Amino acid sequence: MNKLNEFLGGRILNLKVLESDEVKHLLAIGSELKPGFFRKDQQDYCRRCLSKISDDSDYCRNCLNMGKITRDDQLIISSTETNFEFQERPMKWEGRLTQLQNKVSHELINAFKAHKDHLVWAVTGAGKTEMTFPLISEVIRSGKRIALCSPRVDVCVELFPRIKSAFPETTIGLYHGKSKEPYQITQIMIATTHQLIRFEKAFDVLIIDEVDSYPLAGNQMLQDAITKAVKDNGNIYYLSATPPKILLDKVEKKQLGISKLYQRFHGHPLPEPKCHLLYKSTNFLGVNPIIYLRIKKMLTNKQRFMMFFPNIPQMLQFENVIIKKFPKLKLISVSSKDDKRLEKVKSFRESEVQAIFTTTILERGVTFKNIIVIVIDADATEFSKTALIQIAGRAGRAADSYDDEVHFYYQNYNKQIKNACAEIKYLNWCAKNV
Ligand SMILES: [Zn+2]
């Protein structure tokens, strides 16, 4: 029974994995027993992930990796009754918000008080996280429970120490597919959006960061998990530098509030990408001479840089050539398939290496100082308009290197490149004029 904390707080649990005394206790404190499937419009659905059950199946295939749920299973949805210790001033962060950040921050608190869902459209490097601190503080003071979620593990991992140091006396848990810590009920939960599948009406407030990013964008199961995990009178915040149309449409229909922030926290504009048309392919003569000269110049100037590639094989092949041509260049590469990714990113952050080669895995959620950002084959299909805007947003994030350069290399000046550059220009115009 000492595992009880691992079950509480709106968790969806399969009866068959629990001991009988645990079940007894959970039911005694207000947990509910529900069938594993429910029926709507002549169709079976899974109670945990809300996916349709295909006719020929007796179990849910969609959330199978969280444990099998069959037609005959019973689920316990644990009670969300919680009592967190009262804190008069939970926030210990001593930084200052700019006037514009402060305005957004007030709008977030108003949405909380009105129980209204809200979108924050803030350019890359606007300081989204800090703007949510006063809201988080207000939620904690009210004795309520909040989850901060992102589709990307890296974003969650990077967020955790920042929240921990801003709210040192509040209970905080970090959960994602790779974490080994068992779940515990905490007042703040930081987790990947996937983890929300395990909850029902569990949180008073949900903040979903990077709402337009993979794998959340276009994934109905994850979208449903978000709305299912929030309490009936709770509210959801969506944060993005590149919000999806579906949310902007909701704003239009007044179903969703909106705050816009066009200015970076340091007040300087977004770096606008410089576009370079290549007449030959990237690997022409091993390395296209135009790219070769760029790397040579950066090596001479000891300039640190990030180089983005459309896919892993292309990145690795290019890395091999570069290592041979520039034996003095200290270089690492990372991708989604790299187990050492988090450590490698850290070594780049700490300036142990001069260059990092990467795929779109590092297009967002990471901040480095004083770097040139380069996109190789910016016309590849893997680089959507959104990805290019996010990648360009890695540059100029620090007040003392606000004008970092961004370079796009390509053979076809396509719609994505054109639209990404136009949108960055437009956002800079808005920062000055709106
Ligand atoms: Zn399911």
Side-chain angles (χ1 to χ4, degrees), residues 46 48-51 60 62-63 69:
C46 168
R48 179 167 62 190
C49 73
L50 306 182
S51 302
C60 177
N62 293 295
C63 61
I69 292 181

Side-chain angles (χ1 to χ4, degrees), residues 121 123-124 241-242 262 264 269-275 385-395 406 408 416-432:
W121 182 356
V123 294
T124 54
T242 42
Y262 299 115
R264 289 190 144 183
L270 299 160
E272 290 177 13
K274 295 185 170 66
C275 293
K385 176 192 86 171
T386 304
L388 291 172
I389 293 172
Q390 291 284 354
I391 289 170
R394 294 313 99 204
V406 179
F408 289 171
Q416 288 103 280
I417 299 174
K418 187 175 160 223
N419 290 348
C421 293
E423 188 161 320
I424 293 169
K425 268 202 171 80
Y426 170 73
L427 293 168
N428 281 339
W429 181 87
C430 290
K432 267 200 219 151

Side-chain angles (χ1 to χ4, degrees), residues 80 190 299 322 424:
T80 55
I190 299 172
L299 186 61
I322 294 298
I424 293 169

Side-chain angles (χ1 to χ4, degrees), residues 77-253:
I77 298 165
S78 69
S79 161
T80 55
E81 279 293 307
T82 44
N83 267 316
F84 299 110
E85 206 169 308
F86 177 73
Q87 295 182 60
E88 179 62 42
R89 295 185 58 195
M91 182 171 75
K92 304 293 183 250
W93 181 66
E94 285 173 350
R96 271 254 180 108
L97 296 177
T98 64
Q99 209 181 343
L100 291 171
Q101 284 178 318
N102 219 357
K103 181 174 167 276
V104 174
S105 170
H106 278 292
E107 290 165 357
L108 299 184
I109 291 177
N110 289 341
F112 170 60
K113 289 180 176 160
H115 310 282
K116 289 258 171 67
D117 293 347
H118 201 84
L119 168 67
V120 179
W121 182 356
V123 294
T124 54
K128 276 182 294 169
T129 307
E130 288 78 6
M131 277 187 277
T132 64
F133 284 176
L135 168 72
I136 298 172
S137 185
E138 189 65 29
V139 175
I140 296 168
R141 267 172 48 83
S142 323
K144 298 200 163 168
R145 190 169 176 224
I146 183 168
L148 314 175
C149 299
S150 163
R152 318 273 279 217
V153 179
D154 305 59
V155 175
C156 295
V157 169
E158 199 157 290
L159 193 58
F160 181 67
R162 293 167 73 189
I163 299 295
K164 187 120 189 110
S165 77
F167 301 94
E169 277 143 46
T170 309
T171 51
I172 307 179
L174 170 67
Y175 308 106
H176 51 79
K178 288 181 191 142
S179 63
K180 299 199 173 63
E181 285 287 301
Y183 162 86
Q184 297 273 328
I185 182 165
T186 52
Q187 195 163 11
I188 302 177
M189 180 175 94
I190 299 172
T192 50
T193 34
H194 255 104
Q195 295 300 318
L196 293 177
I197 294 171
R198 301 176 188 273
F199 293 90
E200 187 171 313
K201 296 182 182 170
F203 301 96
D204 299 285
V205 174
L206 267 182
I207 299 182
I208 311 292
D209 197 3
E210 308 290 358
V211 61
D212 58 296
S213 81
Y214 177 84
L216 176 56
N219 182 324
Q220 196 55 45
M221 181 170 71
L222 290 179
Q223 311 275 356
D224 290 343
I226 292 169
T227 41
K228 178 187 58 141
V230 74
K231 289 186 187 174
D232 287 339
N233 60 352
N235 69 326
I236 307 172
Y237 296 87
Y238 300 97
L239 314 183
S240 177
T242 42
K245 194 175 173 295
I246 185 162
L247 290 183
L248 294 172
D249 287 347
K250 281 190 173 177
V251 171
E252 195 88 344
K253 290 184 199 142

